[in-house]
Amino acid sequence: MMKTVFTIFSVIVFTTISAVDSCPPSDRAALLAFKAALHEPYLGIFNSWTGTDCCRNWYGVSCDQETYRVADINLRGESEDPIFERAHRTGFMTGFISPEICKLTRLSSLTIADWKGITGQIPKCITRLPFLRILDLIGNRISGEIPAGIGRLKRLTVLNVADNQLTGRIPASLTRLSNLMHLDLRNNKISGPIPSRAGDLSMLSRALLSGNLISGSIPVSLCRIYRLADLDLSMNKISGLIPPCLGKMAVLATLNLDCNLLMGRIPATLLTSAVGNLNLSRNALGGNIPDVFGPTSYFTVIDLSHNRFKGPVPRSLSAASYIGHLDLSYNHLCGRIPVGAPFNHLEASSFMYNDCLCGKPLRACSPHD
């Protein structure tokens, strides 16, 4: 009798431990429903999604070590994982992201990136995943809008939906993501203005919004983001003036505003700032280029081409601590190109198609120039 009781007790204990040490059936069911909405024909990445324990050896799935709830889904279509090397190809997947994913209520990271063929919309219920820190859906064919309630994700640090087919506006609630550090919306069809309260994103270090249909002006509030190091608003329909305060930002190193509808003058602050990669090409900027370069001017790239600048090439460029690539072509500049560094290492293409520039590396100046 005692032996029977002990055996029953052992079975109960073993069953309890096994249940605790594996993912709950509800998480497994959510993952299988997520898988059912997708089709991956070449690599077999879902072949490992078998058995009752989704925390062990399910490709791309990680669980919390204490609760055994699913915490991370990391499925990348471009990876150095052996499964890709054996197949000698990148990934391709079709289907859509099932709302069943939202039943994984402890999800911290969701990466479904570079599969090229995934369509459908971003499930609105994703905004109800309170522990989500990373949402990376780059490189698919996802359409629709960024969910209006995205601002509920208070822990979100990375939002990357670049290279998709998203439309609509940037939701106003996005400015409530107080922990957001990396925002990448590049190469979609997003329209409307940048929210005026974008400056509330106090932790933001990279804001990449190029290749959309964004209009309106550059919000002055962006200048309040102390940590912002990389701002790319290129290839949009942004108009108005360049806020001078952008040149007073402590760590802003890359500023790409090319291919927009900006007008007015270049703020002198930008030319003596921390910015080292400055692209203002293909706008409607005009007036003289400020002659304010000095020892704090350090540019790996400065591209002012395809604008309406007039007057001379600034002589103070020779006082800059470094000028790597300079492009002043396709403007209305006139006069003698200064001699000495950095002009002695620049090619003619840097100065072509202006009104009346002369001197090396262009034609020699005449006595009348």
Side-chain angles (χ1 to χ4, degrees), residues 147-148 150-151 169-177 193 195-198 200-201:
I150 195 80
R169 297 185 167 215
I170 300 172
S173 77
L174 190 144
T175 63
R176 297 202 291 269
L177 297 174
S196 60
R197 299 193 62 171
D200 292 350
L201 298 169

Side-chain angles (χ1 to χ4, degrees), residues 70-111:
V70 173
D72 303 294
I73 296 175
N74 187 8
L75 301 174
R76 294 188 180 275
E78 296 180 3
S79 169
E80 296 180 358
D81 190 279
I83 198 170
F84 292 87
E85 293 181 1
R86 286 194 298 269
H88 302 292
R89 63 170 298 138
T90 59
F92 181 77
M93 194 186 300
T94 56
F96 64 96
I97 301 172
S98 170
E100 294 293 307
I101 202 82
C102 302
K103 293 182 179 177
L104 300 172
T105 55
R106 300 292 298 191
L107 201 61
S108 173
S109 172
L110 177 60
T111 298

Side-chain angles (χ1 to χ4, degrees), residues 262-309:
L262 296 166
M263 56 194 305
R265 297 173 178 265
I266 299 181
T269 52
L270 278 182
L271 305 181
T272 56
S273 67
V275 175
N277 189 328
L278 178 65
N279 193 340
L280 305 179
S281 66
R282 298 180 186 273
N283 280 284
L285 299 167
N288 285 24
I289 300 171
D291 196 6
V292 294
F293 293 88
T296 60
S297 306
Y298 186 104
F299 289 99
T300 52
V301 175
I302 177 167
D303 190 345
L304 308 180
S305 64
H306 294 271
N307 278 288
R308 300 172 184 172
F309 296 117

